[in-house]
Each structure stands twice: as structure tokens, then as C-alpha cells.
Amino acid sequence: MKVNGMPSKEDFVVQAAWTRRSRGEAAKRPSRKSWKQRTDMFMRPFLLNVFFSKKFIHAKVMHRGTSKVISVATTNAKDLRTTLPSLTDNNACREIGRLIAERSKEADVYALAYEPRKGERIEGKLGIVLDTIQQNGIIFVD
């Protein structure tokens, strides 16, 4: 009912705003990635992945944003299988490091990031692979 051209109080109905979250969820702060988690993919785009099995050594360089493999080296390849006396010793680690550095340079990648897995120390065979890559002109970004 209108009085003097204005609607009366009975005409106003307040409706609650419907949201997808319940009241308890709305009170909580939504989960959000940290600044480092959001920008790390762009600041250090190329990631080195090294895997040691009992028989072979595998290494690859991937682009984080697109998951595209830039370069790969493994002692399971035909040319290395026939030329190397052992596929898992220190000389094989040096050869894998040299190949990864060479193939990364061909793809115009001169800086890599390496994130050790939980509890993994950079020593032994892994240290040899990383040192060889660094000696062949690839920069490791922290």
C-alpha cells in the first residue's frame, strides 16, 4: 500500500543474498596459494628432473608452465648403451650431465632450476650430474 506515493514498510521484503558458501565457510579465509607458489613457475620456468634406477640414469628438462620436455638424456639410449661400460657409474653421470647441457643449449635454455625431493641431498651421483651440467655452461637458478 502506498502512502503519499511512497511504499509502506510492509511492501519491503528483505531477502538474504544467496551464496554458494555456507556461513561457516564464508567466515574462513579461502585457501590461496602463496606469492612464491604463484610466481615461481614464471621466475624459474625450466626444471631439471633426474632419476636413478638400479640399471639406468634418466634426466630431463621440462618447462613448468606448459609441461613441455625441452631435453632428455638417458643411459638407456642405444648410442650410450653400446659405448658406456657401465650405465650407472660416475662416468655415466658425467655423460648424462654433458648431454643435458648440450641439448638444453640447442633449445636456447641457459638457466635451470633443480628442486631436491624431500630428504634428498645433493651429493654422490646427483652431485656429479649437477656439477657437469654447470661446468658445461648452464646456470642454476635458486
Side-chain angles (χ1 to χ4, degrees), residues 15-21:
Q15 293 182 345
W18 291 96
T19 62
R20 282 182 271 188
R21 294 186 183 142

Side-chain angles (χ1 to χ4, degrees), residues 10 12 38-39 41 52 67 70 73 94 109-110 120 138:
E10 292 86 28
F12 286 107
R38 285 183 279 157
T39 59
M41 178 172 54
F52 298 94
S67 298
I70 305 300
R94 288 185 189 94
V109 175
Y110 296 95
E120 186 177 47
I138 300 291

Side-chain angles (χ1 to χ4, degrees), residues 2-80:
K2 292 187 177 185
V3 178
N4 296 335
M6 299 289 293
S8 66
K9 289 184 181 178
E10 292 86 28
D11 292 338
F12 286 107
V13 177
V14 178
Q15 293 182 345
W18 291 96
T19 62
R20 282 182 271 188
R21 294 186 183 142
S22 65
R23 287 183 187 150
E25 280 186 65
K28 294 178 190 173
R29 190 165 165 245
S31 61
R32 213 171 153 193
K33 290 183 178 179
S34 69
W35 175 255
K36 184 175 181 184
Q37 287 173 328
R38 285 183 279 157
T39 59
D40 201 37
M41 178 172 54
F42 303 104
M43 301 301 284
R44 304 181 314 155
F46 298 104
L47 187 65
L48 175 68
N49 184 2
V50 183
F51 176 72
F52 298 94
S53 71
K54 288 184 179 180
K55 293 183 177 182
F56 306 111
I57 301 169
H58 307 279
K60 66 181 172 181
V61 176
M62 291 183 65
H63 187 268
R64 283 184 178 181
T66 59
S67 298
K68 183 179 177 185
V69 177
I70 305 300
S71 61
V72 177
T74 179
T75 55
N76 197 14
K78 282 187 179 180
D79 56 340
L80 291 181

